[in-house]
Amino acid sequence: MVSSSHEALHRIFQEDPALFARAVRGLGITFAGPLSGSPLPTDLTENRPVDRRLDTLLRMEAEGGESFLLAVESQGKPDPDKPASWAYYLSHLHAKYGLPPVLLVVCADRRTASWATRHVDIGPPQWPSLTVRPLVLGPDSLPVIDSPDEAARDIPLTVLSAALHRRDPDADAILKALATALKVLSDDDEHTASIFIELTEQGLGKTPAADLWRHIMAADLSFFQSQTAQSLRAEGRAEGCAEGRAEGRVEGRAEDILLLLDGRGVEVSEEERARIVGCADLDTLGVWFTRAITAVSAAEVLRPDGE
């Protein structure tokens, strides 16, 4: 039960809102004297469900028993509304899991990365109540990996390096080193190599580097047997038939999504399966494939982009 002393310590500010400015002067914080104070509802419960989703959320267990939450957001362009969403995510995660959250924002664009690195204070300038401080990975914060040996030591980092440097002159050297490393990996784990091929293509977007990657893959994919590799080989053999290439890649991408979900034990209903197979947009299928790597349900894979 809430005690009367608890009530008094906050209700007094309802009776005299200007008391706030006077009371904090002893802390060395100066606020202009309020002219008025209007009470608002104190119940912060949402009146309707609000769908808020992070791009990726991981519980990290570090050496020495340390645990924390890693929230990863992929940001394509500056968005003035994002810091408020990030603050909500971090507060909610801390309250729900009782673990310290870390926000990592990944940007393939230098302007967006520069925007995201800014610390955003929430509250008045005299005393911000909350500061959002994301860690930001962009083209200038990740090294260029252009050695096959170095690429082989950390293929995921090389895939990320290729995605972040996709518009740079170094992109071709990164992709050639990555292709060599993936060829070696395929001898031991063809499935994993195929996933990294897909992630690389998706990470390159619609840039000249993406065209170079497809040419590299089509030139020497005899060591891969995945449906993705087969569609790429078919694309290389059928350069004169653009429509046929697109259909083959769409079919291959849809099959990859279903195989990946099946391999991870994620149930897919007939309706969801039909939606995946019936999708003809390669970009949409690429987004679904990326989600399928970590999604816990097919509904999470197929959710609208804005949710």
Side-chain angles (χ1 to χ4, degrees), residues 209-261:
D211 295 331
L212 174 62
W213 179 246
R214 284 190 285 271
H215 284 305
I216 292 174
M217 290 291 96
D220 188 7
L221 275 176
S222 59
F223 50 93
F224 290 118
Q225 300 300 321
S226 69
Q227 180 64 40
T228 303
Q230 293 172 17
S231 65
L232 284 170
R233 284 198 292 272
E235 177 184 348
R237 291 193 299 266
E239 292 182 355
C241 185
E243 184 176 352
R245 289 202 307 268
E247 291 179 357
R249 294 183 63 206
V250 164
E251 292 175 1
R253 187 67 58 86
E255 184 172 337
D256 283 342
I257 294 170
L258 293 173
L259 287 174
L260 180 57
L261 292 173

Side-chain angles (χ1 to χ4, degrees), residues 10-41:
H10 68 83
R11 285 199 59 185
I12 190 170
F13 292 98
Q14 297 178 24
E15 300 300 324
D16 182 4
L19 172 63
F20 163 68
R22 302 195 304 273
V24 299
R25 288 174 189 164
L27 301 175
I29 310 298
T30 302
F31 283 85
L35 297 177
S36 65
S38 302
L40 297 173

Side-chain angles (χ1 to χ4, degrees), residues 138-173:
D140 294 329
S141 56
L142 202 69
V144 171
I145 300 176
D146 54 8
S147 161
D149 290 339
E150 188 178 0
R153 285 194 292 270
D154 197 334
I155 287 177
L157 185 65
T158 308
V159 172
L160 183 58
S161 176
L164 296 186
H165 292 281
R166 63 192 183 190
R167 295 184 179 90
D168 294 351
D170 300 308
D172 59 343

Side-chain angles (χ1 to χ4, degrees), residues 104-109 113 117 135-142 157 160 164:
L104 177 65
V105 180
V106 186
C107 312
D109 174 74
T117 56
L135 288 172
V136 179
L137 285 177
D140 294 329
S141 56
L142 202 69
L157 185 65
L160 183 58
L164 296 186

Side-chain angles (χ1 to χ4, degrees), residues 2-303:
V2 177
S3 67
S4 57
S5 61
H6 173 94
E7 289 286 318
L9 291 178
H10 68 83
R11 285 199 59 185
I12 190 170
F13 292 98
Q14 297 178 24
E15 300 300 324
D16 182 4
L19 172 63
F20 163 68
R22 302 195 304 273
V24 299
R25 288 174 189 164
L27 301 175
I29 310 298
T30 302
F31 283 85
L35 297 177
S36 65
S38 302
L40 297 173
T42 58
D43 186 354
L44 303 183
T45 304
E46 297 283 0
N47 293 326
R48 58 184 178 83
V50 177
D51 196 357
R52 302 181 188 270
R53 293 179 184 269
L54 283 160
D55 289 337
T56 289
L57 178 62
L58 303 171
R59 174 172 175 149
M60 310 292 284
E61 304 290 345
E63 295 180 1
E66 179 186 5
S67 301
F68 65 95
L69 301 175
L70 179 62
V72 185
E73 286 276 274
S74 175
Q75 191 69 25
K77 62 183 179 180
D79 181 350
D81 295 330
K82 266 297 182 178
S85 296
W86 291 339
Y88 177 92
Y89 296 159
L90 295 172
S91 299
H92 178 80
L93 291 173
H94 186 265
K96 181 176 181 178
Y97 294 98
L99 292 172
V102 175
L103 173 63
L104 177 65
V105 180
V106 186
C107 312
D109 174 74
R110 283 183 170 82
R111 183 174 70 95
T112 304
S114 176
W115 163 82
T117 56
R118 297 177 302 168
H119 296 174
V120 178
D121 292 329
I122 297 177
Q126 302 95 323
W127 193 266
S129 299
L130 182 65
T131 299
V132 180
R133 302 177 60 203
L135 288 172
V136 179
L137 285 177
D140 294 329
S141 56
L142 202 69
V144 171
I145 300 176
D146 54 8
S147 161
D149 290 339
E150 188 178 0
R153 285 194 292 270
D154 197 334
I155 287 177
L157 185 65
T158 308
V159 172
L160 183 58
S161 176
L164 296 186
H165 292 281
R166 63 192 183 190
R167 295 184 179 90
D168 294 351
D170 300 308
D172 59 343
I174 300 173
L175 295 178
K176 290 174 183 177
L178 177 58
T180 301
L182 286 171
K183 184 172 183 178
V184 175
L185 173 63
S186 70
D187 293 336
D188 297 324
D189 190 345
E190 182 180 328
H191 176 70
T192 299
S194 298
I195 289 176
F196 286 131
I197 287 179
E198 289 287 349
L199 289 175
T200 301
E201 182 175 354
Q202 293 165 20
L204 296 175
K206 297 180 179 179
T207 62
D211 295 331
L212 174 62
W213 179 246
R214 284 190 285 271
H215 284 305
I216 292 174
M217 290 291 96
D220 188 7
L221 275 176
S222 59
F223 50 93
F224 290 118
Q225 300 300 321
S226 69
Q227 180 64 40
T228 303
Q230 293 172 17
S231 65
L232 284 170
R233 284 198 292 272
E235 177 184 348
R237 291 193 299 266
E239 292 182 355
C241 185
E243 184 176 352
R245 289 202 307 268
E247 291 179 357
R249 294 183 63 206
V250 164
E251 292 175 1
R253 187 67 58 86
E255 184 172 337
D256 283 342
I257 294 170
L258 293 173
L259 287 174
L260 180 57
L261 292 173
D262 182 66
R264 297 184 57 244
V266 177
E267 294 185 4
V268 181
S269 68
E270 289 302 321
E271 181 181 353
E272 291 165 335
R273 183 178 299 273
R275 184 177 172 189
I276 293 172
V277 173
C279 180
D281 184 77
L282 197 57
D283 290 338
T284 298
L285 289 169
V287 172
W288 290 353
F289 181 89
T290 302
R291 292 176 181 169
I293 295 174
T294 57
V296 297
S297 68
E300 182 177 345
V301 173
L302 301 175
R303 64 178 169 81

